[in-house]
Amino acid sequence: MVAINLFRLIGRDDLLLSAFYDACQLSTSTILRGVLRADGTPEKLSQRDRELAISLKGELSRRTISLFLVAFNASPDEDECARPQSCKEIMLGAQTWFCEKGVYSVDADPLSRDIEDGLSGMRGFLCDACAESMFDRVRQAQCSVMSMLPKSLGIV
């Protein structure tokens, strides 16, 4: 929050992207109510920036959910997959689990290293080709998140 206000104050809109991304990792309550600086001074975002941060937090959460659905939504390539039926069932099972349980623990950080770390457990179940394909889809989805951020913040 401090960074957003500072960058606004000094006219550095080019730095807002990372500041808003960081703010989106805060709780909604913190975004709305603000924080206390070390010296006890309250720090709040403007109404416009609070609305923008909440909207972006929602968009990033949706993008994180989408990222997992993209990761698990693939039919094995018959030419490359060593175990097409098994890999298909594993991906469907993972997608079903995510939709039923995992979706409730998603945060607003689709670029988190934790995503790739979490998905790495799938390597033991999928053939190598399907696992690599899954990670490629995740990286592509993460790149699309980065490309949408400037437009979402109005700094295109």
Side-chain angles (χ1 to χ4, degrees), residues 44-80:
K44 287 180 78 171
L45 295 174
S46 68
Q47 180 66 28
R48 175 178 160 244
D49 284 343
R50 283 194 304 267
E51 290 172 5
L52 188 54
I54 295 297
S55 175
L56 185 59
K57 183 176 179 74
E59 178 63 24
L60 289 170
S61 295
R62 284 188 294 280
R63 294 287 180 135
T64 303
I65 291 169
S66 176
L67 188 142
F68 279 101
L69 295 177
V70 164
F72 300 141
N73 188 24
S75 297
D77 184 340
E78 301 287 333
D79 296 332
E80 295 181 24

Side-chain angles (χ1 to χ4, degrees), residues 71-90:
F72 300 141
N73 188 24
S75 297
D77 184 340
E78 301 287 333
D79 296 332
E80 295 181 24
C81 180
R83 305 183 309 265
Q85 188 60 35
S86 175
C87 286
K88 185 176 183 177
E89 289 174 14
I90 290 165

Side-chain angles (χ1 to χ4, degrees), residues 10 14 17 56 59 64 70 74 86 101 105 113 124 136:
I10 63 173
D14 58 313
L17 182 68
L56 185 59
E59 178 63 24
T64 303
V70 164
S86 175
K101 295 183 174 64
S105 63
R113 179 79 180 148
D136 287 344

